[in-house]
Amino acid sequence: MTDIVSLLGADAKSLLEHRCQTIPSENLYLPGSDFVDRVMIDNNRPNSVLRSMQTLFNHGRLAGTGYLSILPVDQGVEHSAAASFAANPLYFDPKNIVELAIEAGCNCVASTYGVLASVSRRYAHKIPFLVKLNHNETLSYPAQYDQTLYASVEQAFEMGAVAVGATIYFGSQESRRQIEEISMAFERAHELGMVTVLWAYLRNPAFKKDGVDYHASADLTGQANHLAATIGADIVKQKMAENNGGFKAIGFGHTDERVYTKLTTENPIDLVRYQLANCYMGRAGLINSGGASGNNDLEDAVRTAVINKRAGGMGLILGRKAFKKSMKDGVALINAVQDVYLNKSVTIA
């Protein structure tokens, strides 16, 4: 089992012993082996969606816990294949992307339609597929940032996927079109029995003010999460909150001072708990992003997992930190994150 205390270093006490005094855990719908029966049973999703969600929960090393460990590899489009796979050219072959997810014991593998379709007959019955429907294309010049549909819900269904995912750039000029597109796509996915996952990201140059980047501000990302749940996301993927006060610093929108004085503190667990509260208090599961690859990937990934779990989140979606390493090291990294969710001493704050 991973030595979580050592990896957290100087942050171990503040993260492992913190007790949340903002939003009580009793008010949350927390992950668990009975999440579908206890929480999802209330909503209007077809029975086939509940079955698909249970399929995700029943797979991999975290099977039966109610937590999710997802390998996402859509960066060949989002960041270019060269930037994503030059470090490990074996991942130009979609087979190895799926094999990494299988070897690491992930609940599912999330990737582009092209990647998953190219190996679907070999793997769709071995590990749950999550098809990412839209992407930001990076070959345009000058660069532009917009999410474009690359595949249909029907294509994902036909290949045997149990879930679909999409990104909305909330705050961007294109966001209202994206909201309409993905709302309709998620409605169709539910009709066909698939789970829906929204990458609820912010994108607006104005969200950077006086040298501070508020794209990961708890109050702004919290509202993005609320919008994600509003359009029918069963699971919300969000960047882990790094600061707070975006609404006030930028001077737009509507907020309440109690968000900053009573519902959050500076502790990252409390900031992520506020993100979760905006996911209908956890009726939509919150998974945080693993982030970019760097020099301290293992420490950073375990820290993120501890914060997510103690806040009440449902897991981690971790890609670049894993597939930019050898398969052996990538598996070890993903397993270390899973160990956090398997460790009963890491409790809800």
Side-chain angles (χ1 to χ4, degrees):
M1 187 68 73
T2 301
D3 187 347
I4 297 171
V5 174
S6 295
L7 290 172
L8 292 177
D11 291 336
K13 182 178 178 66
S14 65
L15 294 181
L16 293 175
E17 298 182 15
H18 177 70
R19 289 293 175 264
C20 184
Q21 303 296 320
T22 55
I23 299 171
S25 61
E26 308 87 70
N27 293 351
L28 302 173
Y29 298 93
L30 296 170
S33 59
D34 61 344
F35 187 83
V36 172
D37 291 329
R38 174 170 45 88
V39 181
M40 290 193 71
I41 203 69
D42 287 343
N43 65 38
N44 68 343
R45 308 295 192 260
N47 292 343
S48 50
V49 174
L50 306 186
R51 182 182 62 208
S52 292
M53 180 67 93
Q54 194 64 55
T55 297
L56 293 177
F57 284 140
N58 286 348
H59 195 85
R61 289 187 74 220
L62 298 184
T65 65
Y67 291 106
L68 298 174
S69 168
I70 300 174
L71 174 73
V73 188
D74 60 344
Q75 287 87 350
V77 177
E78 293 280 351
H79 301 284
S80 89
S84 299
F85 305 135
N88 282 317
L90 76 161
Y91 291 118
F92 278 106
D93 184 349
K95 175 189 73 173
N96 292 313
I97 292 173
V98 182
E99 286 287 347
L100 173 60
I102 292 174
E103 288 297 316
C106 292
N107 297 77
C108 77
V109 57
S111 195
T112 66
Y113 170 75
V115 163
L116 296 177
S118 69
V119 293
S120 62
R121 291 189 183 276
R122 180 179 295 273
Y123 290 110
H125 58 295
K126 296 180 180 179
I127 184 171
F129 279 8
L130 190 167
V131 178
K132 185 75 169 13
L133 298 176
N134 66 356
H135 309 281
N136 177 46
E137 171 272 314
T138 58
L139 199 56
S140 296
Y141 185 82
Q144 62 184 42
Y145 300 95
D146 191 7
Q147 287 289 325
T148 304
L149 287 167
Y150 275 62
S152 69
V153 173
E154 286 75 13
Q155 286 175 304
F157 176 75
E158 290 296 332
M159 79 161 70
V162 302
V164 296
T167 298
I168 292 177
Y169 285 152
F170 292 107
S172 70
Q173 291 184 349
E174 301 81 13
S175 64
R176 296 197 176 195
R177 190 208 78 241
Q178 294 168 10
I179 290 169
E180 291 178 358
E181 288 177 348
I182 303 310
S183 294
M184 290 188 291
F186 280 8
E187 179 184 11
R188 181 60 177 149
H190 285 150
E191 290 173 352
L192 293 174
M194 290 184 286
V195 173
T196 56
V197 184
L198 190 74
W199 280 239
Y201 285 174
L202 302 176
R203 183 175 288 279
N204 190 318
F207 290 173
K208 296 181 180 181
K209 183 76 175 294
D210 299 328
V212 179
D213 189 347
Y214 291 100
H215 281 90
S217 176
D219 55 351
L220 298 185
T221 55
Q223 180 60 19
N225 290 358
H226 192 81
L227 296 176
T230 298
I231 67 169
D234 299 310
I235 299 169
V236 179
K237 180 195 175 188
Q238 185 56 265
K239 295 180 180 180
M240 181 159 285
E242 298 176 357
N243 52 38
N244 206 358
F247 278 120
K248 296 197 296 182
I250 299 163
F252 84 114
H254 305 279
T255 188
D256 187 300
E257 189 60 28
R258 285 167 290 195
V259 170
Y260 315 101
T261 59
K262 292 186 177 181
L263 300 183
T264 61
T265 71
E266 293 183 357
N267 189 290
I269 295 171
D270 292 340
L271 295 179
V272 174
R273 178 155 296 183
Y274 182 74
Q275 289 182 326
L276 177 64
N278 279 275
C279 297
Y280 292 176
M281 283 294 193
R283 287 184 182 272
L286 174 65
I287 54 176
N288 285 121
S289 170
S293 181
N295 295 324
N296 301 296
D297 284 343
L298 179 59
E299 293 85 350
D300 291 345
V302 167
R303 182 180 187 276
T304 302
V306 168
I307 294 169
N308 174 270
K309 182 181 182 182
R310 299 213 67 221
M314 191 171 277
L316 222 58
I317 184 163
L318 187 148
R320 281 172 285 172
K321 281 180 166 59
F323 71 74
K324 286 198 171 185
K325 296 175 172 55
S326 69
M327 187 170 290
K328 178 181 177 182
D329 290 343
V331 167
L333 179 65
I334 294 172
N335 286 167
V337 166
Q338 294 164 350
D339 286 346
V340 172
Y341 295 96
L342 292 170
N343 192 323
K344 294 183 179 179
S345 68
V346 181
T347 58
I348 305 300

